[in-house]
Amino acid sequence: MLKTSLTIMLAALCGAALAAPAPAAVAPAKQQLVQQVLQLWQIDTIGQAMLQAPVGDAVQQARAMLQGRAAPERRDAALADVLGEAKKFMDEATPTVRASAQKLIPGTVAPLLAERFSEDELRQMVAILESPVKRKFEAMLPEMQKLLGERVAADTRADIDPKLQGLKERIGLRLRAAVAP
């Protein structure tokens, strides 16, 4: 026991890593199914989605900051510049994060799929991802989201709009106070 503890301490002090057990070898047929699932799933787009959130937030903050602080023509021009910068950023950064995801997927996501799903389950997943019904459903998502969004907005407008206006006013007051000389 003491010898084992000393070995572990020496390994830690020397910077040597204790190797984790190697993942079990994956049968070629199963590995092919994992690759098919990854291709159909298009998980490499996750990086782009991760970029879109903060970029969208930055654009929204710029829009809010410009609202009421600039003349409409200057506001619109500045917002167009902000949108242009955001698009340029996305165009430049997307290939980097996509390449990173493609590099990391084989060592992260692929082993999890191989470990936690049987070949039969992976076949079912491929069938689901290739399903024409799934594609039809996904094609309808923007329409359904728009329709629901419009209806929710109409249904809650009387309650939400005054609160939203109040929020904008409170934020505007805080921003004006923060930038006042």
Side-chain angles (χ1 to χ4, degrees):
M1 172 129 175
L2 181 60
K3 186 175 180 180
T4 304
S5 297
L6 287 174
T7 304
I8 292 171
M9 271 188 6
L10 284 174
L13 289 173
C14 295
L18 296 173
V26 178
K30 188 173 191 178
Q31 187 61 40
Q32 183 179 4
L33 287 166
V34 166
Q35 293 307 317
Q36 197 173 1
V37 165
L38 291 172
Q39 182 181 12
L40 291 167
W41 184 15
Q42 299 177 349
I43 191 173
D44 61 336
T45 61
I46 196 168
Q48 184 175 1
M50 290 172 57
L51 286 175
Q52 286 172 339
V55 169
D57 289 346
V59 169
Q60 284 301 101
Q61 288 174 0
R63 181 176 281 128
M65 184 72 149
L66 291 168
Q67 191 69 29
R69 302 188 107 199
E73 62 278 352
R74 291 185 71 202
R75 179 190 65 223
D76 294 345
L79 191 54
D81 287 345
V82 167
L83 291 171
E85 288 294 326
K87 183 183 179 333
K88 180 180 172 188
F89 172 82
M90 289 298 295
D91 291 346
E92 291 173 358
T94 295
T96 302
V97 296
R98 178 167 280 146
S100 176
Q102 288 171 342
K103 176 181 74 175
L104 296 171
I105 287 169
T108 56
V109 178
L112 284 175
L113 290 172
E115 175 187 321
R116 297 187 185 171
F117 291 92
S118 68
E119 282 188 45
D120 185 52
E121 290 169 327
L122 289 168
R123 276 190 215 85
Q124 291 176 45
M125 203 176 311
V126 166
I128 290 168
L129 292 170
E130 288 181 331
S131 166
V133 173
K134 178 186 173 284
R135 275 187 243 133
K136 183 177 180 180
F137 176 75
E138 287 176 340
M140 288 180 57
L141 282 175
E143 180 183 354
M144 291 187 297
Q145 289 172 339
K146 181 181 179 213
L147 181 61
L148 179 61
E150 290 170 352
R151 298 276 171 89
V152 168
D155 188 50
T156 62
R157 184 167 283 122
D159 185 40
I160 297 298
D161 279 359
K163 292 176 183 177
L164 185 58
Q165 187 59 37
L167 172 64
K168 287 178 183 179
E169 289 171 7
R170 290 188 303 277
I171 290 172
L173 289 171
R174 284 192 174 79
L175 290 173
R176 283 190 283 285
V179 297

